[in-house]
């Protein structure tokens, strides 16, 4: 018997209000799963974009700035 079958069997024994809570929990887990996948993809994309940037030897000075802002 698969896990889905076991869950279904147990779910049928619960009253409808508890079944609704199980459904909410499943949706919560699905959302968490999707969020984690997005975070992993974004982290990979950022790390790929920044790969090798630490080797960039360009040094910038204040003279390179076109405009300087002060708190006057």
């Amino acid at each position: 018997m698969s896990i889905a079958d076991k869950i279904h069997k147990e779910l049928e024994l619960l009253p409808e209000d508890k079944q609704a809570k199980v459904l909410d929990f499943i949706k919560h887990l699905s959302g968490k799963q999707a969020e984690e996948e997005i975070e992993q993809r974004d982290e990979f994309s950022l790390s790929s974009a920044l790969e090798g940037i630490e080797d960039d030897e360009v040094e910038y000075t204040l003279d390179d700035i076109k405009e300087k802002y002060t708190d006057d």
Side-chain angles (χ1 to χ4, degrees), residues 21-52:
K21 288 183 180 185
V22 171
L23 179 59
D24 288 343
F25 183 66
I26 291 170
K27 288 181 179 180
H28 172 75
L29 289 177
S30 297
K32 284 281 194 189
Q33 176 84 19
E35 287 176 15
E36 289 173 4
E37 289 173 1
I38 290 170
E39 286 177 18
Q40 288 174 353
R41 184 187 66 226
D42 289 349
E43 185 177 317
F44 175 75
S45 295
L46 182 59
S47 65
S48 295
L50 297 176
E51 189 174 308

